[in-house]
Amino acid sequence: MLTVNHVTKTYGNFTALEDITLEFSQGLYALLAPNGAGKTTLIKMLTTLIFPTRGEILLDGDEIIALDETYREKIGYLPQEFGYYKNHSPRQFLSYLAALKGLDKREAARKTDELLELVSLADVRDKKMRKFSGGMIQRVGIAQALQNDPRILILDEPTAGLDPKERVRFRNLISSLSKNRIVIMSTHIVSDIETVANQVVMFKDHKLLANNTPAKICKQLEGKVFETDDITAIDFAHMQLTERNEDGHTIVRFATDSARGAEIGRPVTPNLEDVFLYIYRDEAWI
Amino acid sequence: MKKLLCSPTLLGLIVACLLTNTFFSTIVLGSADYSSYVGNVAETAGIRVNDEFQNQLALLQEPKESPESYFLEYLRKDTNGLSNLYETFEASSIAKSEIAAYGITGDVARLLEEKCEALQASVDAKAKSGEALDLYLAGFTTHEHNALVFIWRMFALEGALIGVLMVLLLIGYEQNNRTAALVFSLRKGRRLMSAKLLAAMAVGLASFVLVWFASMAIYLALHPYLIHIWHSSVSSAFHIVFDSFVFRPFLTWDSFSLFEYAFAQLGISIGIVLSVMLLGFFIGMLIKNNYLAFFIFLVTVMVLYILPPTLASIGQIEMSSYVINHNPVRLWWMQEYWFTEGTRQYLWPRFETIGVASSLLVLSLLALLGYRHFWRKDLA
C-alpha cells in the first residue's frame, strides 16, 4: 500500500499542496482537478522528483525517500512533459531507459519489442523520433512507463496528444493494468477516467477535496442537475454546465439548489463532468 | 560519453582552440632567427657551454656581413666567460630581496626565509650538475621560455574551459532535452550524475591532452630549433627572472630539462583542469540552469582570483590569503613560476604541487557534497 501521510509542499510562501492524506492500494486512482491545483506536485512527490516539506509518503510502511532506489524500481512514470532524445529511435531510447532502470539487457530488449508492439510503434521502432507526431511520442512514453512491469504506475496527463482511437485503446489498456497494480493517473479530462477509475481524488485550493468512487462523487449532485431547451426561462440561481444540440434545439445542462429546477428542466443523472464543472466553477452563479 | 564525443560543441571547441593556439604560436616568433641559429649550433656543438663547446664555436665561420655572422658574434659574446653561477648563489638572497623590497615582517618573513633556505639544497645540486652552463637559447632564453609558458598557460585555460563546458553540457543534458523528470525518476536516474561527471572528466581531459599535444606539435613546427635544445636545463644561466626589483636565475626545486619541464607543466595543468571541472560540477549540482551555472562559475573564478590579494591587504587575516592563493585559478595565473619557490606569493615549497593536490582534494569533497545535495534536491 502506498500512503500519503499529511503531506504539505511549499515553495517559499506559496503552498502547492496542504496536508494531503491518501491511501493507494490496487486499482486506478484518478487525480482530477484543473491545471494548477496540485496534481503534478503530488505526482512529482510520488516519483521522488521533489520531496514533501512536511509529512511523509510510505510504501508498505517504509518511507519512500529512505527506500530510494528500492522504491524507484517499483514505479513506472509518464511525466506530463515527456521529453525524449530526438536522434534516438524508440528502441534506442527504451534501451537507454531500461539501463537506467537497472533491467537485464536481454530481458529489456525482449520487453521493448513487446511494448512497442503493444503501443503500435513496432513498424517505426528503428526510426528516429524527431519526425514522430505528438501521439506517437506519447505512446513511446506509455511504453517506457511499462518497461519494468511497475507495481505502481504513475501517469501525468497521459492522454494529451492522443487521437480518439488511441485514447480509447489507452483507456482499455490502463483499465486492464490496474487489475494487479496501483495506477495513479492525473488528468483534467473527465472522459478519460469516468468509466475506468476505481477512485477519484479531487483537489481544490491546494487541499484534498474528495477521495471517493466516481459514483459516490456524482451522488453529491444528485437531484441538482437538469436539462432544458429554454435556458432563458430560468429566473433562479443556477449554474450552466454544458450544451448540446438535439433535433435543432440547444439543450442546456444546468445545476441548481433551487427546488424550482424540476419545474423548468428535466432531472438527469449527474456525471463526473457535471461535478467537475460544478466544483471548479470560477464564476458566480447567475 | 558517447553524447559528448558526438557533440558538435566539443569538435567546435577543439578546432577553435587549435586555431587560437596556432595564431599565438605564430605571433610569439620574436627572436626566431637568432634562436634558430643557436638551436642549429647546439645540434653540432652540444648544449653544455664548456671548453669543447667553445672550441666548436671558435671553429665556426659564417659569411661576412650575413645575419649568421652577427648571430655567431652574439653567441660568442653570450657564452664567453659563462660561469656556473649556482656555485656562489645563495638562495636566501631571494627572501632577503623580497623582504627588503616589500617591507615584509613577522611570520610571513620567517616562512619566506625558511622556504628559501630549503631551496639552497637545490642550488647546491645545480652547482654540482653545472646546469647553469646549459646553452638553452643563449641570450634569448628568457624571452623564448616566457613565450612557451604563455602558450602553456593558454592551453591550460582552454583545457579548463573545454572541461567545464563539457561538465555543464552533460549534467544539463536532461534539462535541455526535457527528459529530467523522466530520467531522474528512474531507479538509477540520480546516480547518473556521477557517471556524467566521470564521462565529462574523461572527455574533457582527453580533449585537453589532445589540444596540448597538437598545439605543441604546431608550436614546434613553427619553432623547430627548440628540438635541438630540448635537453637544456630550464635553470640555465640564460634564464633570468625579474622579481622583487632584482634579477635572479630561474631556480627550480628539481632539475628539469626543457623537455621534462614541458611534461611537468602538462601534469600540473591536468590537475588544474580537473580541479576546475570539479568546481563546475559542484556549481552545476546546485544550479539547474546551465547558463546561470556557467555565469556563477565565471564569477567564482573571478572571486578566486581577487580573493587572495584582497585578503592580503587586510593585515589580520594575511596568512589565510597565502593559503587561498593555492586555489586553481591563482595557480594557473602563476604558471610561469611553477616548480620554483614561487616568489613572495607562496610561503611553502612546491606550491604548485601542494596547490593542485589540495585543490583536487577540496574540490572533490565539494563535488561529493554537491552530488549528495543533488540526491535530495527538488528537481522539478
Side-chain angles (χ1 to χ4, degrees):
Chain A
M1 181 176 297
L2 185 63
T3 311
V4 177
N5 198 8
H6 297 288
V7 162
T8 295
K9 181 68 186 175
T10 58
Y11 297 97
N13 292 328
F14 174 72
T15 303
L17 272 181
E18 193 177 342
D19 195 28
I20 304 295
T21 296
L22 288 165
E23 278 188 352
F24 302 98
S25 53
Q26 201 172 286
L28 172 57
Y29 293 80
L31 307 184
L32 185 64
N35 292 330
K39 302 187 299 282
T40 297
T41 302
L42 177 63
I43 278 183
K44 282 179 178 171
M45 284 193 282
L46 291 173
T47 52
T48 69
L49 282 170
I50 61 174
F51 302 98
T53 310
R54 281 187 296 280
E56 57 188 359
I57 302 174
L58 310 166
L59 178 67
D60 300 332
D62 296 316
E63 195 166 8
I64 62 169
I65 298 170
L67 287 172
D68 203 67
E69 291 188 359
T70 316
Y71 169 72
R72 281 203 290 272
E73 74 183 1
K74 292 184 174 68
I75 64 171
Y77 172 47
L78 173 64
Q80 185 175 15
E81 193 183 52
F82 176 66
Y84 59 100
Y85 306 140
K86 291 184 175 65
N87 285 324
H88 277 48
S89 67
R91 186 150 38 186
Q92 284 174 319
F93 189 51
L94 292 188
S95 299
Y96 174 66
L97 296 179
L100 288 178
K101 289 182 183 194
L103 304 180
D104 171 69
K105 213 170 175 179
R106 198 173 294 171
E107 173 62 13
R110 189 194 59 77
K111 188 82 178 166
T112 295
D113 286 343
E114 189 185 305
L115 286 168
L116 288 173
E117 196 77 48
L118 180 77
V119 296
S120 308
L121 289 174
D123 51 337
V124 290
R125 73 183 76 191
D126 292 315
K127 294 246 160 60
K128 285 189 176 177
M129 291 192 285
R130 65 165 64 246
K131 287 184 179 167
F132 279 19
S133 68
M136 289 165 88
I137 293 297
Q138 199 68 356
R139 282 185 275 155
V140 175
I142 292 162
Q144 68 75 28
L146 298 172
Q147 251 181 329
N148 52 333
D149 193 18
R151 188 181 148 193
I152 303 162
L153 183 59
I154 301 169
L155 309 161
D156 198 355
E157 309 282 359
T159 53
L162 298 183
D163 63 33
K165 193 176 140 201
E166 290 168 339
R167 239 186 170 92
V168 171
R169 281 191 61 196
F170 173 76
R171 207 150 54 206
N172 296 340
L173 172 67
I174 294 303
S175 177
S176 66
L177 286 170
S178 67
K179 287 185 171 62
N180 56 357
R181 73 194 77 216
I182 298 169
V183 179
I184 301 167
M185 181 171 133
S186 128
T187 185
H188 57 271
I189 303 166
V190 178
S191 59
D192 281 349
I193 45 109
E194 189 154 34
T195 54
V196 290
N198 300 88
Q199 199 87 358
V200 175
V201 180
M202 298 175 95
F203 302 100
K204 193 171 185 187
D205 299 330
H206 311 287
K207 290 177 188 159
L208 183 66
L209 181 75
N211 175 20
N212 224 323
T213 60
K216 283 183 180 163
I217 284 183
C218 291
K219 213 173 168 76
Q220 60 185 293
L221 271 191
E222 206 167 64
K224 292 181 180 175
V225 182
F226 304 91
E227 280 183 355
T228 178
D229 58 0
D230 185 13
I231 193 74
T232 55
I234 304 177
D235 57 357
F236 47 85
H238 71 285
M239 184 200 169
Q240 197 168 314
L241 298 169
T242 52
E243 288 182 10
R244 67 185 156 84
N245 280 315
E246 198 176 285
D247 300 330
H249 297 282
T250 301
I251 309 291
V252 178
R253 207 172 164 98
F254 68 96
T256 182
D257 286 329
S258 168
R260 292 182 58 217
E263 290 172 19
I264 305 284
R266 180 172 58 85
V268 288
T269 309
N271 59 31
L272 214 45
E273 190 173 38
D274 297 329
V275 179
F276 184 87
L277 292 170
Y278 183 82
I279 288 173
Y280 300 114
R281 61 187 177 272
D282 48 7
E283 287 171 6
W285 282 32
I286 300 161
Chain B
M1 192 179 288
K2 196 178 156 195
K3 286 171 192 162
L4 275 189
L5 292 173
C6 299
S7 152
T9 313
L10 177 64
L11 186 66
L13 281 170
I14 289 174
V15 171
C17 289
L18 290 176
L19 289 175
T20 308
N21 297 341
T22 306
F23 171 72
F24 280 107
S25 299
T26 312
I27 62 164
V28 293
L29 282 168
S31 57
D33 291 345
Y34 179 67
S35 299
S36 182
Y37 184 78
V38 175
N40 289 336
V41 171
E43 195 182 3
T44 52
I47 54 162
R48 179 57 58 92
V49 181
N50 49 22
D51 291 345
E52 197 188 327
F53 177 89
Q54 296 292 7
N55 291 339
Q56 291 277 344
L57 205 59
L59 292 174
L60 274 177
Q61 296 283 328
E62 299 293 354
K64 276 187 180 173
E65 300 297 319
S66 69
E68 285 76 13
S69 67
Y70 293 112
F71 294 154
L72 180 59
E73 199 180 323
Y74 291 145
L75 186 56
R76 281 177 178 152
K77 272 185 195 165
D78 280 340
T79 54
N80 187 29
L82 188 71
S83 65
N84 186 350
L85 63 90
Y86 294 118
E87 282 177 343
T88 54
F89 189 82
E90 285 184 19
S92 59
S93 66
I94 298 173
K96 280 178 189 155
S97 61
E98 286 166 340
I99 289 166
Y102 297 98
I104 300 167
T105 56
D107 284 345
V108 173
R110 180 179 56 77
L111 288 166
L112 277 176
E113 281 170 344
E114 283 175 11
K115 179 184 71 175
C116 290
E117 277 164 22
L119 188 63
Q120 189 58 45
S122 301
V123 174
D124 295 342
K126 285 178 196 298
K128 246 185 211 167
S129 69
E131 58 195 86
L133 298 171
D134 273 4
L135 181 64
Y136 210 152
L137 287 167
F140 282 99
T141 288
T142 300
H143 169 83
E144 293 284 350
H145 186 94
N146 290 347
L148 255 179
V149 173
F150 171 78
I151 284 290
W152 286 331
R153 195 190 273 173
M154 285 285 300
F155 297 172
L157 176 67
E158 290 161 357
L161 266 177
I162 291 178
V164 81
L165 287 173
M166 288 304 102
V167 168
L168 292 178
L169 188 73
L170 211 50
I171 62 179
Y173 193 80
E174 310 308 336
Q175 210 65 41
N176 293 341
N177 283 283
R178 298 183 301 141
T179 48
L182 172 62
V183 166
F184 298 130
S185 70
L186 303 179
R187 184 183 151 197
K188 295 180 180 176
R190 295 203 187 215
R191 211 196 287 180
L192 191 61
M193 280 304 177
S194 58
K196 280 175 185 271
L197 173 65
L198 293 178
M201 284 177 100
V203 172
L205 203 57
S207 307
F208 168 59
V209 172
L210 173 74
V211 167
W212 197 93
F213 276 102
S215 301
M216 272 309 285
I218 293 167
Y219 192 87
L220 289 176
L222 290 165
H223 305 252
Y225 49 85
L226 284 172
I227 303 289
H228 304 310
I229 51 97
W230 213 217
H231 296 291
S232 272
S233 169
V234 291
S235 293
S236 154
F238 292 110
H239 190 189
I240 301 299
V241 175
F242 183 68
D243 175 48
S244 301
F245 310 108
V246 291
F247 288 100
R248 59 180 176 81
F250 184 76
L251 242 172
T252 51
W253 291 97
D254 299 297
S255 292
F256 289 105
S257 67
L258 181 57
F259 178 76
E260 291 163 338
Y261 190 69
F263 281 92
Q265 282 267 340
L266 173 63
I268 296 297
S269 297
I270 285 174
I272 287 182
V273 170
L274 289 176
S275 301
V276 168
M277 289 168 85
L278 288 167
L279 175 65
F281 179 78
F282 171 66
I283 294 169
M285 287 293 92
L286 304 182
I287 295 161
K288 198 161 79 175
N289 183 297
N290 259 359
Y291 299 102
L292 182 62
F294 187 63
F295 175 74
I296 299 291
F297 167 79
L298 292 179
V299 171
T300 309
V301 165
M302 277 191 273
V303 169
L304 287 173
Y305 179 75
I306 59 169
L307 194 61
T310 308
L311 287 177
S313 64
I314 309 167
Q316 283 80 355
I317 48 173
E318 193 181 16
M319 197 57 78
S320 65
S321 75
Y322 288 99
V323 175
I324 299 169
N325 212 24
H326 289 82
N327 76 60
V329 181
R330 294 296 299 185
L331 285 180
W332 168 78
W333 184 248
M334 292 295 285
Q335 189 152 5
E336 64 194 288
Y337 292 105
W338 287 357
F339 305 104
T340 73
E341 36 67 53
T343 77
R344 68 194 168 87
Q345 295 203 41
Y346 292 95
L347 302 179
W348 300 280
R350 301 177 193 278
F351 73 95
E352 72 297 314
T353 313
I354 292 174
V356 160
S358 54
S359 294
L360 282 173
L361 182 69
V362 170
L363 288 163
S364 296
L365 287 173
L366 275 182
L368 190 65
L369 283 177
Y371 180 58
R372 284 178 68 92
H373 168 79
F374 180 80
W375 202 266
R376 288 283 173 267
K377 180 184 169 188
D378 281 358
L379 295 178

